[in-house]
Amino acid sequence: MTFNDILKESWLSISGNKLRSFLTVLGIVIGVMAVVIMVAVGETVEQSITDQFSSLGTNTIVIRAGAAQSAGVRTGNRQTLTLDDAEFLAKLPDVAAVTPAQQGGAQVIYGNKNWATSMVGVYPEYTTVQNIELEYGTFFDRSAVKNASTYAVIGPDTAEELGMPTNPVGEIIRIQNTPFVVIGVMKAKGDSSMGSQDDMVIVPITTLKKRVQGSRFPNSVSMIAMKLYQDADNNVATEQMTALLRQRHKLKDSDADDFQITDMKQVMETMNTVTGYLKLLLIAIAAVSLLVGSIGIMNMMLVSVTERTREIGIRKAIGAREEVIIIQFLSESVLISFMGSMAGLILGVGLSQGIGRLVLNYNVPFSVWPVILSVSVAVIVGLASGVGPAVKAAKLNPIDSLRYE
């Protein structure tokens, strides 16, 4: 028999019982569709995390004041970092830019509108560390930090919530009864290690400490962020920072660190590992549907063998070899699996892309793996499900088959 003959015979057999064939194919469609959608979900989560970290860069390191947590309890909460620490850290060979940072809440008033947002005091190097780009205006310089100038750079969401003009540079806002001149507006960016920059007010750190917070410890800071050079070794740089801060804070060998260093590269690697396991879990859950679908194919083929016992006996009586009978039933099984896999692939890709772009407004990454998976499923599931019934059909005794009613 030629390939066309085998394909024609298989199609005639499948189409002979449309409802049963449809339900069997549907099991494979749902299985493949579930796997494709789960792969898309996993890759979307992974891409989203990668995008957030790439906006900062993996060469960013954040140091927070206070000791790390032990058994769920923070062993210290003192403001152990200072502006002087930031200046010394800037002298390390691998450090490209450093900014101390102090965060807090702020009630911003503009005209007759007010808006609760976050406020951060930093150095001008903040633009380099956090990859800040401005839509309008400029950023303050070191002289503004030295003089505790009342300059402010705001996020686009903050400007919108306050009902400010399209270009609000030069407008006056009030925070804690202190007037600030808006000198710049950031481009929309999203979340970072210091919160959402789209809804934020950035001022010189000295201005925040002295004029807004009225801190009794104007030299202390809650955080120091830094950007390393591209060719820097994050592990070596972290060790140098740890040694420097322990020396400056006069910590003994037996003392725990009174600061916490977060390496964004390590965080990203950890998150990628977690999302990798998440993808495997989602695929494993969806694979159960494929298993159910393959059992459905096997069940259909076993029923088909039983129903066509006399046909098999006639074929063998007129000289059909066992391998021909096996090929006939295997081809039917593979054809059912192939149709279901292709339909599941199309539906899975269509639904994941459609929901991502139309509903979530997010470009779902397209992977070649679902295509490879669908073709593999069509062959493997079809062969695995059909080999048992095919062998059973080939081994039937022709005389007993002809007597079967």
Side-chain angles (χ1 to χ4, degrees), residues 205-226:
I205 190 168
T206 50
T207 307
L208 176 66
K209 298 284 288 185
K210 296 176 182 178
R211 296 178 181 268
V212 179
Q213 295 181 339
S215 175
R216 293 182 301 165
F217 307 100
N219 196 45
S220 67
V221 295
S222 61
M223 183 188 306
I224 297 175
M226 63 200 73

Side-chain angles (χ1 to χ4, degrees), residues 368-387:
V368 71
W369 287 111
V371 179
I372 298 175
L373 174 69
S374 300
V375 176
S376 301
V377 166
V379 176
I380 297 174
V381 172
L383 291 175
S385 303
V387 66

Side-chain angles (χ1 to χ4, degrees), residues 67-110:
Q69 291 185 349
S70 176
V73 179
R74 184 177 291 278
T75 58
N77 56 5
R78 296 178 296 116
Q79 294 290 302
T80 53
L81 297 177
T82 65
L83 295 176
D84 295 332
D85 288 336
E87 298 295 342
F88 275 89
L89 287 168
K91 297 176 183 179
L92 292 176
D94 292 329
V95 176
V98 171
T99 177
Q102 186 73 30
Q103 293 178 298
Q107 194 73 24
V108 185
I109 300 173
Y110 174 73

Side-chain angles (χ1 to χ4, degrees), residues 190 245 258 284 287 336 355:
L245 291 176
D258 58 358
I336 291 173
I355 293 174

Side-chain angles (χ1 to χ4, degrees), residues 49-62 94 128-131 189 193 226-238 241 261-272:
I49 294 173
T50 301
D51 290 344
Q52 290 192 20
F53 278 100
S54 63
S55 65
L56 292 176
T58 55
N59 58 340
T60 302
I61 292 180
V62 177
D94 292 329
T128 301
V129 174
Q130 294 285 313
N131 293 335
K189 185 176 182 181
S193 59
M226 63 200 73
K227 176 83 74 176
L228 304 181
Y229 290 109
Q230 290 294 336
D231 59 348
D233 187 320
N234 288 38
N235 293 328
V236 172
T238 300
M241 294 171 194
I261 298 180
T262 303
D263 182 354
M264 292 301 173
K265 182 177 182 180
Q266 292 182 353
V267 173
M268 183 175 179
E269 290 174 351
T270 301
M271 293 302 297
N272 283 338

